[in-house]
Structure formats: C-alpha cells, structure tokens
Amino acid sequence: MHGETPPTMPRTVGVLTTDAALVVQSWDAWLEQHSGISASTAVGTPLPALVPDLAERKLLPRFEQVVSQGVVVVLTPLFHHYLLRCPPASPSRHFDTMQQHVTIAPLRIDEQIVGTIVTVEDMTARLDRERDLTAQLQSPDATARLQAAEALATAKEHESALLIDALADAQWRVRRTAVSGLAARAGADAVADILRAMREEHRDLALLNSALQVLALTDVDVVGPLIDFLEDPDTDLRIYAALALAEHTDPRAAAALIAALDDPDQNVRFHAIEALGKLRAAAAIEPLLSIAVSGDFFLAFAAIDALRAIGDARVAPGLVPLLADDMLRDTAAEALGALGDEEVIAPLLALLDAPDAPVTVVVQALAALYRRYDRLYDDGRRIAAQVSARLTPTARQAMLAALDTATPDELRALVVVLGWLEGPAVERALARLLGQPTVRLALIEALVRFGAGVVDALIEQLAAEDAETRAAAVVALGRIGDARVVPELIEVLETDPDLAVVAADALAKIGDHRAFEALLRHLGDPDVAARQAVISALHSLGHPDLEQRITALLHDPDPLIRESALRIAGYFGYDACAVTIVTAVEDRDERVQQAAIEALAYLDNPRCLPLLLHVLRHEMPNLRAAAARALGHMDEPEALAALLGALDDPQPWVRYFATRSLGQRARPDTLEPLIRVLERDTAGQVRIAAAEALGQIGGEQAAQSLTPLTAASDADLVRATLHALGQTRHPAALPPLLAALRGADPSQRAAAVDAVALHGGMGAVPALQWVAAADHDVEMQQAAITALSRVQTSEATAALIELLIDPQRREAVRAALARKGARIVDDLQRGLAHPHPAVRATVVEILARIKLPAVREPIAGALDDVDPAVRIAAVTALGRIGHQHAARKLNDLAYADPEADVRRAARTLLGR
C-alpha cells in the first residue's frame, strides 16, 4: 500500500560514544534493548562502571590505546566473546551470552582525539551457523560435508575460513565446491585468508592444491603477496609461491621468478624454471640458457624444457653443443626440433652415424621440425629435401633397423622421415607397416608421395591376412592413380566383400574404363555403402555406354539393381528413361519406389509434378517423405502449395522434409507457416528443420521468432537456433548470440561462436576477440580464433593480430592468420607497426608463408626494426622467399648489427 514503509531486516549493531576519559556520551536504542541499561543511566557514567569486568578481562587497555595512539582496535568473538554481557537476541544452540564483534575507533575533532566511537555487532547467529557447518564439515558422511560446502559457497556472506578448511577435505567434490565458492567471491579478505592458510598449512597437499586453484581463478591481486613468499625462510613455501606465480601473467611474476633462479635451494630454482616456462617469459631466455649449458643436469633439463615452451628460435644455436652431452642430448634434440631451423639439420644428422646412434630421438626432432615448418610457413618440403640430400647410407640403414623396435610415437616419426627418402628398401619396409593402425594414415601419405615406384610393394600387401592392411593398400593405390593396378583392384572388388567400398572408391579415382563391367555387376550389392560407392564410381567413370546399360537395368528382376539404376538415371536426368522412371513409382518394392520418386525431380517431363503431388497426398509415409524431398527442387506454385500443406502431415519425417524443402526455397512468404512449425510442432527434428529454414530466409521477423528458442531445453534445437540466427545476418540476431557466448553449456557456447562469425555484424568481431582472449576454456579460445579467421574483414584481421600479444595463444593465432592467405597482406603489413615486438616478429613469419612478391619489401623493411627478435625473424623469412633484393641490408646486419644473434643469422643466410 502507498505510504507504508517496506519491512526491514532487524538491526544487529549498536553504537556508543565516550569522551577521552571513557565517560559514556551516547547510548543508542539497540544497546538499551539488548543490554538492559537505559540511555539515561549509561550517559555520564564511566564505561568501566557500566562494564565492571572491563579491566579484569584486559579490555580497558585497548580503549586507552585508542585514545592515546589514535589506532582502531577490534575485539573478535573468537577471543573476547563480548564487550557487554547480554543474553542472545534469539535462542542460541551454542551460547548463553551474545557473541559480539566490537570495533573501537578514535573520535576526532580538528585532528584532536576527543573520545571513542564503539560499534557492537551481534555475531551469535552467524557463529551458531559456523559451529553447525563446522560439525557438518567434520562429519564422516561425505554427502553431509558436500552439503555444508555447498551452503557456504552459495551464502551471501559465507565464512571464508570454513571454506578454506574444506579445501583440505578428502572428498574431491567438497574441495571443488570450496574452490568455486572462494573464487566466486574472492575479495581481498578472502584471498588474504587463503594466503595465510598457504603460509601456515602449506604442507597439507590437498589444501595447497585447492588454494592454488583459487588463486588461479581469482581476479584479486595476489602477485605481491606471492612474491613476498619467495623471500620467506621456509623453502617449501618458496616452492609453492613459484607454483602459484606460474598461473599469473603479471610482469612482476616473471621478474620475481627470474630473481628466484638465484635461490640458495635447488628445488626452488627448479620450480622457478618450470614456472618461467609455463609463463613463456621471454625475459628469462638468457638466464635459462646459461642454466641449460651450466652442467647442472637437474636444472639443465628443466631449463631446456622451459626454453622450448617459451618458443624463441634465437636459443637454438646455443642448444646445439648440448647434443654432444649424453645426459642432455635427447632433451636438447627435442628442443631443437621445436625451435630450430635448417641449420640444426646437420648436427642432428651427424648423431645418426655413431655406432650407438639415438635414431628415434633424432628422427622425432626432424619430424617435429618438418611439421613446424609446414604449419608455420607451408614449407615442410624444405626440411624434407635437406634431410634427404644429407642423409648417409649408414644413417638410412639405422633408421630402417629402428622400425622393428620403435614405440608407436617413434614409429610415426620414422614413417614421416623415411617417407622423404627413395629406394626399394624404404618402399618395401613402409609398405609392410600398413598393418600398424597407429601409423596407417601417415604411411598412406608417404607411399602416395613415392608414386608409381611403390606400386609393386603395395600390390604384395593386397594378399595380407589383415583386412585393414589390405584396405590401406587399396586406398594408397587409388590415390597414386596408376592404371596398371586396375585388374588387381577389380579382383579385390569381386572377391573381398569387406573391401568393396574402398575398391570402388579407388577405381573411381583412377577412372579407367576397364572397371566398368565389374562396377555394373555390383549395383546389386546387398551392402548399402558398397552400392553407393559403386554408383559414385560409375558417375566418375563417364563411360559412353552407361546410359544404354542403365536403361536396360531399370527392368532388372533384382530390386537392388533397379534401385541403383534409378539413382544413376535420376542423377544424369536421362530423358530416354523418363517413362520407365514414372512407371517405377508403382514398383512392387518400396526402395525402388523411393528412388523413382526422388528421380522425378530431375526429369523434364510434364507427368512428374502431378505424380509427386499425388504421392504426397495418398501414399505411404516413406514415399510421402521422398516426394517432399523431390518437390524441394521444383519451382512451380503447385509444388509450393503442396509443401505448405505437408507441414500438417501426421508423419514427422514428412513434415521434416517438407520444412527442409521450403528452407531451400528461402521465400519470405513462407515465414509465417514456418514460424508456426517452430512454435507448435511436437517433433524435435521438425522444429530444428524450421529453425534452419528461418535462418535461410533471414530478416527481422525470422530473428525475433528464433530468439526465444535460445533458452529451449532441447540442446540440439538451441544449437540449430544459434546457427540460424547467425545465418540471418540481421542486427536483431546479434544480441541473443552475444548472450549465448556467456552461457554455461560448452557445446552451445561453441555453437554461438560459430554463429557470431557467420553473422559478422557490428559487434561480432569484438565479441569473438573477447572469447579468444578471456575465456578459461582452451577449446573455446581455439574456436573463437578459428571463427575470427573466417570473418573476411580488416577488423577481424586486426583482432587476430592483437591476440598475437599473448604467448599462450600465439601459435593458434599465427596459424589462423596464415590460413587467410594472400587476401590479408595489406592488413598484415599494418601489424609491422604494432608496439609489441613479438607481434611484429610473428607478422613477419606469416608474411613469409604467403610467398607473394608483394611481401618482400615489408619483410626487408623489418630488417631495420629496433628489436633484434624482429630483425632475426626478417632474416629468416628472407631466407625462405629470396633475399637478393635485400643483400646490402643483410650485409650491414652481418657485420654491424649490435646483437650477436642477428649478425650470426645474417652471416648464415649470406653464406648459404
């Protein structure tokens, strides 16, 4: 009612004031009510007279300290229980006296302390709750403990100390709940409690691990306190501080960890090294390289791993000498594969000529180097060519011998590297490995590169006992495309039913007319996939007799052959078959009828449309569904009217195909009936088809109709709706898509990312950039980066360039920009002016991958960059695309650059 005061929560705080002599000057109504002392009695009375045990409980000096020193003193219920002895305001399960939180602050006038102001807060109910929850958290029943943690995590004013206790619970669900509760409200006080818990109880591993999770999730600044922990006398606490700092990209963290590389304790130094690698701290490169070559093996391994994680190619020459150290050789080789360039090939290959050659280690490094060049520069063949040219017969034999004892990972690398070589021994060895499932795809790629030379070895594998080996050999032969193998593939088609599909596909790729008769004989294969493969192969073969033979097969007694023949006749629209196709609508076999109905859509015959309309009205559900599919290819008004009528068909799949057919037409005048289907149909697949159809039609009405479905309970429908909203490209569709980006369901957020990219409207690019930069889910970050690569605007390219700042995302962003290719050269060049040197260096690498004449000048211009890493990137890039036009600049760098790494890179390029 108007004029009424809304109800309020009961007060839990009283206030009093005193003068400097602690004589009470004011006493509020709350204190009157709960202490039983009236204001008229209290005012003018010295506080020690009102509270007789003030001195006995040693509280009087606290008041005197406030007056004399001007400090604020807090009396907590944990230690002092109360200031004024009062009964609880409401019945208490644990206390017979009100538990009070008391704050005593100085009262000033013109900077002079004239007395005190005291607040008394009733904490009894809260402490009752704490004791109850504490007991519940200590219960042997895990469910009870979990319920207590959940209650604390969701409370508006939860007790962080109790949640911190729950971090050490034996049950992982309790710990996870405590982590999420603390992280959700991690204010400065809560984080301070966590840090204190780390300091006091860091030997409790469950507590430590959970506390570290909270620190990683919180937005409160904890870097300063953690840096302080790095100076703590306790070695374990310094180690744990290094672990926690690894989760923070704050520059102060890297600087403190670099300082910790001089810690007197080796374990602290070890964890500081690991943390610097996790942070990808470029500033740590020099000290880490010094540790790597120091001879301290315990730390050297960690330092090499950290350098590999940081990913700066400049360290590769410094790691090459470690290949001579038996203890560090394997780790150094792995790092060189991840960081090196062509210059590391020779020292790696030199290891293969030793009697005890570490074959698999070297091969894995070479394979990694190849993959990196292929991914970053689309130039893996450069590595392959150099390895092939420099490999000695001894090294080649050692690699072949290693095939017999290699693990699956080692075998994959051996297959990649051996695939660069030539010769019958290599070809036969690889062909025999087709039975190995872990390397089969890589083997096929390698064998296809060998071409005709490996055909005989593959034909031998067609007799292998293992069906997967035979199938892989067939696939490889088809991709090689040598017509000599057609008889062997026909025999496989005829005699090996398990390989009919791959054999038909291989014959289709080769395209030799000798396969024609064999393929025709398999049009009646009982396996659906085999029949479809044979039909596709006959489509590809283009045999001149196909129409004549198919016309005859339309009358074959085998219904499977008639069905296949109808699908081929319909695909090619053979006019000579029109009458037979129309007649086949009445075939005694339902599959043949369906094939005939679907073929009608491709015929130029006046009988087709009336026949389809008849089928849609009168026939069995499967045939009506086939007619709905076929009518989607016809433009006549009668077809449209029939499809609209089919939206009310009693069979869901008929409605589904009618809806899809209407979506293919994308006619605005079908919006209203499709919206009704979306809102009212009871079949999920039909509603999904309606959402897709509205997306194809587009417009504001479609966007508004789709928006409510983003909150539907059907996850598949929500994903389809999000895609449809993106497809509309209407401004009204963007707000619900942006809201979905922040949803809880990962699959729906991923769908929203794709939909926002498809929409591409104003605000889409910043939203995707935010997801790529800030989302905690790595898969979502990657999805957003991929989505940005599909948006064809300068804004999207600029957003990707900006994301190169983050070393954690740089690799994925670099690949995304490279996929955009030549069309973004101008936008990429603007990235050469970015203030961050790592961005400029990465842009140089991407420009080199594009390999257009237009990129040579901007790359050459980067030779003048103020940052040595950018100059090195430019030197490396010119080595790939040609450097003659920049020879003078390179010569200047080779002899006059202030950085030794730049001089070395330039001299190496000029010498090459």
Side-chain angles (χ1 to χ4, degrees):
M1 293 177 63
H2 294 293
E4 289 188 356
T5 302
T8 59
M9 295 294 291
R11 280 185 59 193
T12 59
V13 179
V15 181
L16 68 95
T17 61
T18 74
D19 63 13
L22 300 184
V23 175
V24 175
Q25 302 297 304
S26 67
W27 189 269
D28 73 0
W30 188 92
L31 291 173
E32 280 190 310
Q33 176 187 350
H34 293 285
S35 71
I37 302 171
S38 67
S40 60
T41 300
V43 174
T45 303
L47 189 63
L50 287 176
V51 186
D53 60 354
L54 198 64
E56 179 186 340
R57 291 195 288 138
K58 299 180 180 179
L59 300 182
L60 183 58
R62 301 297 186 93
F63 282 86
E64 293 169 342
Q65 181 185 15
V66 172
V67 174
S68 63
Q69 300 178 18
V71 298
V72 176
V73 169
V74 175
L75 310 178
T76 68
L78 180 65
F79 297 109
H80 304 100
H81 300 295
Y82 56 85
L83 172 64
L84 302 170
R85 181 183 292 275
C86 310
S90 56
S92 169
R93 295 178 296 279
H94 302 288
F95 305 101
D96 55 10
T97 303
M98 179 189 289
Q99 302 297 292
Q100 298 163 359
H101 182 281
V102 180
T103 304
I104 312 166
L107 192 61
R108 288 185 170 90
I109 297 177
D110 296 332
E111 300 302 318
Q112 181 180 355
I113 298 174
V114 297
T116 68
I117 180 168
V118 182
T119 62
V120 180
E121 181 181 3
D122 182 0
M123 301 290 290
T124 313
R126 177 171 173 175
L127 292 174
D128 273 337
R129 171 182 166 80
E130 283 190 11
R131 290 206 175 184
D132 291 342
L133 289 172
T134 298
Q136 196 171 345
L137 284 172
Q138 294 170 351
S139 166
D141 184 352
T143 302
R145 299 200 307 275
L146 178 59
Q147 290 171 347
E150 288 173 343
L152 287 165
T154 56
K156 292 182 178 178
E157 294 184 358
H158 66 247
E159 295 80 2
S160 61
L162 291 181
L163 276 177
I164 290 170
D165 290 342
L167 293 176
D169 195 274
Q171 224 274 347
W172 69 268
R173 290 186 177 88
V174 177
R175 297 198 301 272
R176 182 183 65 183
T177 302
V179 167
S180 61
L182 284 166
R185 298 178 180 81
D189 291 342
V191 171
D193 287 340
I194 296 169
L195 293 174
R196 280 194 294 273
M198 283 185 66
R199 180 186 289 277
E200 295 164 5
E201 303 183 53
H202 55 266
R203 288 180 179 81
D204 184 330
L205 292 181
L207 173 62
L208 167 67
N209 292 332
S210 297
L212 289 179
Q213 289 181 50
V214 176
L215 295 180
L217 292 172
T218 180
D219 292 329
V220 176
D221 177 23
V222 296
V223 172
L226 288 172
I227 290 173
D228 291 342
F229 285 3
L230 282 176
E231 303 292 333
D232 196 275
D234 190 308
T235 301
D236 288 342
L237 189 58
R238 298 202 304 277
I239 290 173
Y240 299 149
L243 289 170
L245 285 170
E247 304 298 332
H248 295 273
T249 56
D250 189 309
R252 294 175 296 162
L257 289 165
I258 291 171
L261 295 177
D262 294 322
D263 192 279
D265 186 88
Q266 190 181 50
N267 288 313
V268 176
R269 298 199 299 274
F270 177 87
H271 288 290
I273 291 169
E274 284 197 326
L276 288 165
K278 190 170 184 179
L279 291 173
R280 299 188 181 182
I285 288 174
E286 291 300 329
L288 288 174
L289 188 56
S290 297
I291 293 170
V293 300
S294 67
D296 184 335
F297 297 117
F298 177 70
L299 296 181
F301 283 112
I304 295 169
D305 286 340
L307 288 167
R308 189 181 68 216
I310 293 170
D312 193 316
R314 287 179 295 171
V315 305
L319 296 177
V320 168
L322 298 180
L323 293 175
D325 188 320
D326 289 343
M327 289 288 291
L328 298 175
R329 179 191 62 200
D330 294 3
T331 302
E334 187 177 355
L336 288 172
L339 302 173
D341 58 14
E342 298 103 306
E343 299 306 312
V344 306
I345 293 175
L348 284 170
L349 290 179
L351 296 175
L352 294 179
D353 290 324
D356 56 345
V359 177
T360 55
V361 171
V362 172
V363 168
Q364 285 177 303
L366 292 171
L369 183 60
Y370 167 84
R371 286 192 295 268
R372 186 162 58 87
Y373 262 57
D374 214 41
R375 183 178 69 252
L376 298 182
Y377 314 117
D378 196 24
D379 202 13
R381 58 186 177 276
R382 178 189 294 267
I383 302 301
Q386 292 199 31
V387 171
S388 178
R390 297 181 181 188
L391 201 66
T392 65
T394 301
R396 178 190 295 250
Q397 188 55 44
M399 289 167 60
L400 288 171
L403 289 172
D404 296 329
T405 57
T407 66
D409 284 342
E410 294 167 347
L411 195 58
R412 277 190 286 270
L414 281 164
V415 167
V416 169
V417 177
L418 286 169
W420 306 336
L421 311 181
E422 296 178 353
V426 171
E427 294 164 2
R428 283 195 299 272
L430 291 182
R432 285 195 296 270
L433 288 173
L434 283 171
Q436 298 280 352
T438 58
V439 294
R440 192 170 287 132
L441 292 177
L443 274 169
I444 291 173
E445 294 298 325
L447 294 168
V448 169
R449 283 195 296 271
F450 288 143
V454 77
V455 164
D456 291 339
L458 285 171
I459 289 175
E460 292 176 10
Q461 298 305 312
L462 294 178
E465 292 186 8
D466 177 51
E468 294 295 333
T469 301
R470 301 196 303 274
V474 170
V475 171
L477 288 169
R479 290 185 55 186
I480 291 170
D482 192 316
R484 290 178 298 163
V485 303
V486 169
E488 284 79 7
L489 291 177
I490 289 173
E491 183 177 357
V492 172
L493 181 68
E494 301 277 20
T495 62
D496 197 337
D498 292 337
L499 301 188
V501 172
V502 290
D505 288 342
L507 290 167
K509 287 181 174 66
I510 296 172
D512 192 291
H513 284 179
R514 286 177 292 171
F516 181 61
E517 294 295 336
L519 289 168
L520 284 175
R521 286 194 294 273
H522 280 266
L523 282 174
D525 195 300
D527 183 80
V528 175
R531 285 203 309 278
Q532 187 54 54
V534 167
I535 291 169
S536 297
L538 287 167
H539 289 169
S540 301
L541 219 58
H543 196 282
D545 296 338
L546 182 61
E547 181 175 2
Q548 177 187 350
R549 299 295 297 277
I550 289 298
T551 302
L553 291 175
L554 290 173
H555 303 283
D556 195 275
D558 186 337
L560 294 179
I561 293 178
R562 296 200 303 277
E563 177 196 355
S564 298
L566 281 165
R567 298 199 180 283
I568 294 173
Y571 177 83
F572 286 107
Y574 291 147
D575 290 335
C577 300
V579 174
T580 306
I581 293 173
V582 169
T583 304
V585 173
E586 302 294 335
D587 195 278
R588 59 185 178 276
D589 186 274
E590 185 176 343
R591 288 171 299 184
V592 176
Q593 288 180 285
Q594 286 180 317
I597 290 167
E598 291 173 12
L600 292 176
Y602 303 100
L603 298 178
D604 185 15
N605 188 295
R607 296 177 59 188
C608 293
L609 179 58
L611 187 52
L612 286 173
L613 297 177
H614 173 82
V615 171
L616 192 59
R617 287 193 300 268
H618 300 292
E619 297 298 334
M620 294 180 293
N622 287 348
L623 301 185
R624 296 203 305 274
R629 286 197 298 271
L631 285 168
H633 299 282
M634 294 185 167
D635 295 327
E636 289 82 352
E638 297 90 339
L640 176 62
L643 289 170
L644 290 171
L647 296 179
D648 296 318
D649 194 281
Q651 218 284 332
W653 287 108
V654 178
R655 302 198 302 274
Y656 170 80
F657 285 112
T659 302
R660 285 180 58 89
S661 290
L662 288 169
Q664 292 170 15
R665 292 165 171 265
R667 289 176 56 125
D669 57 352
T670 61
L671 264 175
E672 292 294 343
L674 287 170
I675 290 171
R676 284 196 296 274
V677 170
L678 184 68
E679 294 173 346
R680 301 175 188 175
D681 203 290
T682 57
Q685 73 269 35
V686 181
R687 299 182 77 198
I688 288 172
E692 293 169 347
L694 290 173
Q696 291 169 300
I697 296 170
E700 183 175 7
Q701 188 178 1
Q704 291 175 344
S705 300
L706 288 163
T707 296
L709 269 72
T710 59
S713 58
D714 184 334
D716 291 333
L717 177 59
V718 172
R719 287 191 290 270
T721 298
L722 293 171
H723 181 269
L725 281 167
Q727 199 171 18
T728 66
R729 293 184 171 84
H730 192 277
L734 195 55
L737 290 177
L738 298 182
L741 285 177
R742 293 168 172 80
D745 185 278
S747 66
Q748 291 179 12
R749 287 164 59 217
V753 165
D754 290 337
V756 169
L758 180 61
H759 187 284
M762 185 178 297
V765 167
L768 293 172
Q769 185 178 358
W770 174 84
V771 174
D775 200 283
H776 293 300
D777 188 326
V778 175
E779 291 184 5
M780 283 296 295
Q781 296 170 15
Q782 180 60 61
I785 290 168
T786 301
L788 280 170
S789 73
R790 295 199 301 267
V791 179
Q792 306 302 324
T793 65
S794 295
E795 183 189 18
T797 302
L800 286 169
I801 290 172
E802 196 64 30
L803 288 168
L804 288 170
I805 292 174
D806 186 347
Q808 306 289 342
R809 293 157 176 76
R810 191 170 297 144
E811 187 71 24
V813 176
R814 175 165 38 197
L817 284 166
R819 284 195 298 270
K820 282 177 165 280
R823 61 181 180 274
I824 63 165
V825 167
D826 292 341
D827 293 330
L828 275 175
Q829 289 186 45
R830 286 190 279 275
L832 294 174
H834 195 280
H836 199 295
V839 173
R840 301 197 299 276
T842 307
V843 168
V844 168
E845 294 173 358
I846 298 167
L847 286 169
R849 179 170 177 173
I850 293 173
K851 297 178 183 176
L852 288 177
V855 306
R856 290 180 179 173
E857 285 306 318
I859 291 176
L863 294 172
D864 297 322
D865 196 279
V866 295
D867 190 275
V870 182
R871 299 199 295 278
I872 290 175
V875 171
T876 305
L878 290 170
R880 297 187 183 95
I881 66 172
H883 62 276
Q884 291 77 8
H885 64 292
R888 181 174 297 178
K889 277 188 177 182
L890 286 167
N891 192 67
D892 291 342
L893 293 181
Y895 296 98
D897 195 277
E899 292 288 334
D901 289 341
V902 180
R903 295 195 300 272
R904 186 186 306 113
R907 288 176 183 173
T908 299
L909 175 57
L910 291 171
R912 193 187 308 155

